[in-house]
């Protein structure tokens, strides 16, 4: 991907959190028979009631559903079906306050934390 609009959502130029944290979810989120939407084949067992996105449970996490060059472009290939924990991780200053999870992931990938200036009026 190239030529992203500079005013595009900062996450579309990042992806750091999807390649930093273990992404665990309740097993029912990946159980279609219970209405779960996360594709089960993209997950693996973790603890008794949990599964984890493949690729995120080892030393250098990178979610199997991530299509990204960290810091350049990023997209979640299952965005509408992603686990609740992913939807809950907000980007710093998107909603008026810093997000430590966002900041930590970006710093770990050599990116500066977002600031309010990264959110031009839209
Ligand atoms: S680390 Fe922050 S800016 Fe980067 S993709 Fe995650 S939420 Fe978005
Ligand atoms: S499911 Fe999508 S949003 Fe969640 S960690 Fe994987 S790539 Fe990121």
């Amino acid at each position: 991907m190239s030529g992203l609009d500079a005013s595009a959502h900062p996450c579309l130029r990042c992806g750091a959190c999807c390649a930093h944290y273990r992404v665990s979810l309740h097993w029912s989120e990946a159980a279609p028979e219970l209405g779960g939407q996360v594709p089960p084949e993209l997950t693996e067992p973790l603890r008794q009631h949990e599964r984890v996105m493949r690729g995120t449970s080892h030393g250098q996490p990178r979610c199997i559903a991530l299509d990204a060059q960290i810091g350049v472009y990023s997209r979640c290939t299952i965005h509408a079906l992603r686990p609740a924990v992913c939807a809950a991780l907000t980007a710093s200053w998107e909603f008026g306050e810093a997000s430590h999870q966002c900041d930590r992931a970006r710093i770990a990938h050599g990116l500066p934390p977002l600031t309010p200036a990264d959110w031009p009026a839209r």
Side-chain angles (χ1 to χ4, degrees):
M1 186 188 293
S2 65
L4 268 182
D5 184 337
S7 68
H9 195 290
C11 293
L12 298 178
R13 299 189 300 273
C14 181
C17 55
C18 307
H20 185 65
Y21 295 111
R22 185 175 67 189
V23 181
S24 59
L25 50 138
H26 191 265
W27 65 269
S28 62
E29 281 197 82
E33 67 277 16
L34 293 178
Q37 293 197 311
V38 180
E41 67 275 15
L42 301 186
T43 72
E44 58 193 12
L46 182 59
R47 290 179 286 251
Q48 187 178 6
H49 298 296
E50 288 177 285
R51 298 183 68 82
V52 63
M53 291 302 296
R54 289 189 185 275
T56 70
S57 63
H58 49 68
Q60 291 188 311
R62 186 178 173 107
C63 180
I64 192 173
L66 180 64
D67 172 18
Q69 183 180 341
I70 306 301
V72 178
Y73 74 88
S74 175
R75 78 184 178 101
C76 171
T77 60
I78 59 164
H79 183 77
L81 308 176
R82 69 199 190 287
V85 68
C86 302
L89 198 163
T90 58
S92 269
W93 301 106
E94 182 173 13
F95 301 109
E97 60 184 19
S99 158
H100 297 302
Q101 284 183 306
C102 173
D103 291 352
R104 275 209 310 272
R106 286 181 60 89
I107 290 168
H109 282 274
L111 300 169
L114 296 179
T115 73
D118 290 301
W119 300 96
R122 53 186 78 211

